[in-house]
């Protein structure tokens, strides 16, 4: 229970970064933190007490395994997270080249 | 599990430093604390596949972020102090408390930590080896039982890579 609450706290710190910070890189860091908190929560949900990693080896066919399904989902989500981070960072670099700042108050004006 | 507590607290401290640091380079390195702490937590939670992928992805995303910082600027000049900032902190704190209380109410409906339901995973565990021939059941779920999910993931990955190339290209741009 307290583990779940701590992962939610991490999520909230990321949300705080996205909502309050005015630097584009800080906003990206906040989004990445929220991603990590979600992965952490899913991995915590799938954990079984006394379980081992779900890999079948000879002699351990009847071992207690942790839940493989959240792990598989998190595995796909981690890779997608990397791709979206790369896209965000490249857009941020382009914005910096155009406006000369990461401050989101400065980049409100449109340039055609 | 005392190591889980220690790692979680380390991650939360790293997250706070990453968001509050004035220097963007140290902010990104503190983000690395969170990512590699997550790797260790995956190892503690018996998920070695996740730990391997998380190490690779964390290293790559740190490289991407630091490359962006080196190309642009390291200073975060947007911070300001004063009544507005204190107001923001107080509002954020109030939101945090309300959210955590509501989460605590919602978590009552989850199974307790360490005892997952595994309604879906039971057949996977029982029949995974003879149906797919994969000894690693996570690989069996990704590539066989949930193969279409992985196809969609590959599509998203490809689209994001196309987006990065389209945004960062130099040839054919007018300015």
């Amino acid at each position: 229970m307290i583990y779940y609450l701590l992962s939610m706290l991490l999520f909230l710190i990321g949300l705080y970064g996205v909502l309050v910070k005015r630097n584009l890189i800080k906003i990206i860091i906040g989004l990445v933190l929220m991603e990590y908190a979600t992965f952490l929560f899913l991995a915590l949900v799938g954990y079984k007490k006394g379980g081992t990693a779900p890999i079948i080896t000879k002699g351990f066919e009847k071992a207690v395994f942790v839940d493989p399904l959240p792990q598989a989902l998190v595995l796909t989500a981690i890779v997608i997270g990397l791709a979206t981070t790369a896209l965000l960072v490249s857009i941020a670099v382009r914005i910096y080249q155009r406006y000369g700042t990461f401050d989101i108050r400065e980049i409100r004006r449109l340039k055609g | 599990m005392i190591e889980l507590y220690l790692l979680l607290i380390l991650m939360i401290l790293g997250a706070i430093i990453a968001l509050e640091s004035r220097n963007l380079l140290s902010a990104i390195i503190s983000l690395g604390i969170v990512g590699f702490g997550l790797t260790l937590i995956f190892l503690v939670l018996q998920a070695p596949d996740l730990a391997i992928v998380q190490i690779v992805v964390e290293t790559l995303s740190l490289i991407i972020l630091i490359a962006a910082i080196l190309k642009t600027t390291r200073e975060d000049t947007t911070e300001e102090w004063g009544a507005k900032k204190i107001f923001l902190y107080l509002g954020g704190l109030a939101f945090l408390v309300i959210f955590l209380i509501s989460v605590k109410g919602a978590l009552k409906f989850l199974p307790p930590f360490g005892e997952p339901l595994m309604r879906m995973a039971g057949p996977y565990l029982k029949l995974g080896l003879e149906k797919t021939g994969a000894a690693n059941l996570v690989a069996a779920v990704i590539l066989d039982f949930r193969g279409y999910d992985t196809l969609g993931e590959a599509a998203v990955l490809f689209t994001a890579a196309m987006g990065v190339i389209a945004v960062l290209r130099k040839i054919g741009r007018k300015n």
Side-chain angles (χ1 to χ4, degrees):
Chain A
M1 180 77 175
I2 197 84
Y3 302 119
Y4 292 155
L5 282 180
L6 283 174
S7 70
M8 284 297 155
L9 188 61
L10 192 63
F11 184 88
L12 275 177
I13 292 169
L15 188 63
Y16 159 78
V18 173
L19 292 179
V20 173
K21 292 293 161 186
R22 297 199 173 106
N23 189 304
L24 271 179
I25 296 290
K26 289 278 177 72
I27 293 174
I28 293 171
I29 287 175
L31 274 172
V32 173
L33 286 175
M34 283 162 77
E35 258 170 35
Y36 286 171
T38 317
F39 302 156
L40 178 62
F41 180 71
L42 285 174
L44 285 171
V45 165
Y47 180 72
K48 190 167 194 170
K49 255 188 202 120
T52 58
I55 299 169
I56 300 170
T57 42
K58 254 201 177 117
F60 289 96
E61 282 90 354
K62 290 286 164 238
V64 179
F65 293 131
V66 299
D67 196 343
L69 195 57
Q71 293 193 14
L73 297 180
V74 171
L75 201 60
T76 43
I78 288 175
V79 180
I80 290 175
L82 174 67
T84 50
T85 308
L87 188 56
L88 282 171
V89 169
S90 61
I91 291 173
V93 168
R94 274 286 174 219
I95 287 175
Y96 186 85
Q97 285 171 354
R98 176 68 71 93
Y99 292 96
T101 178
F102 276 135
D103 193 340
I104 58 169
R105 285 168 301 180
E106 299 290 321
I107 57 184
R108 274 185 307 195
R109 61 184 196 277
L110 285 172
K111 272 188 184 175
Chain B
M1 292 168 83
I2 186 76
E3 66 270 27
L4 209 50
Y5 277 117
L6 290 178
L7 282 168
L8 276 166
I9 289 167
L10 180 73
M11 281 173 73
I12 287 170
L13 289 179
I16 292 171
I17 295 170
L19 285 178
E20 291 302 328
S21 165
R22 282 289 184 94
N23 189 337
L24 287 181
L25 191 62
S26 51
I28 289 167
I29 290 169
S30 310
L31 182 67
I33 296 177
V34 184
F36 289 116
L38 187 61
T39 308
L40 291 177
I41 284 189
F42 283 153
L43 279 180
V44 172
L45 293 176
Q46 302 289 335
D49 309 87
L50 291 186
I52 294 165
V53 175
Q54 176 66 28
I55 281 188
V56 175
V57 163
E58 180 60 32
T59 312
L60 274 176
S61 64
L62 284 191
I63 289 171
I64 290 169
L65 278 165
I66 289 177
I69 290 300
L70 291 180
K71 267 190 133 180
T72 53
T73 178
R74 273 188 208 182
E75 296 301 316
D76 180 5
T77 51
T78 59
E79 293 289 324
E80 57 189 27
W81 291 95
K84 208 172 168 189
K85 186 90 181 173
I86 294 165
F87 179 74
L88 273 178
Y89 270 120
L90 285 180
L93 206 65
F95 177 70
L96 192 149
V97 170
I98 293 168
F99 189 88
L100 279 184
I101 288 170
S102 51
V103 162
K104 201 157 181 290
L107 283 179
K108 264 184 267 171
F109 299 99
L110 272 183
F113 177 73
E115 298 155 29
L117 281 180
M118 296 177 83
R119 198 181 300 147
M120 198 70 214
Y124 291 169
L125 289 176
K126 238 177 262 162
L127 305 172
L129 186 58
E130 58 180 283
K131 269 195 172 171
T132 65
N136 188 344
L137 289 167
V138 176
V141 171
I142 284 182
L143 296 175
D144 261 302
F145 293 115
R146 300 275 170 136
Y148 285 116
D149 282 359
T150 311
L151 184 66
E153 177 218 350
V156 172
L157 201 61
F158 182 70
T159 315
M162 295 280 286
V164 171
I165 292 169
V167 169
L168 284 183
R169 81 199 148 108
K170 288 222 168 65
I171 306 163
R173 288 185 84 88
K174 278 184 184 155
N175 42 17

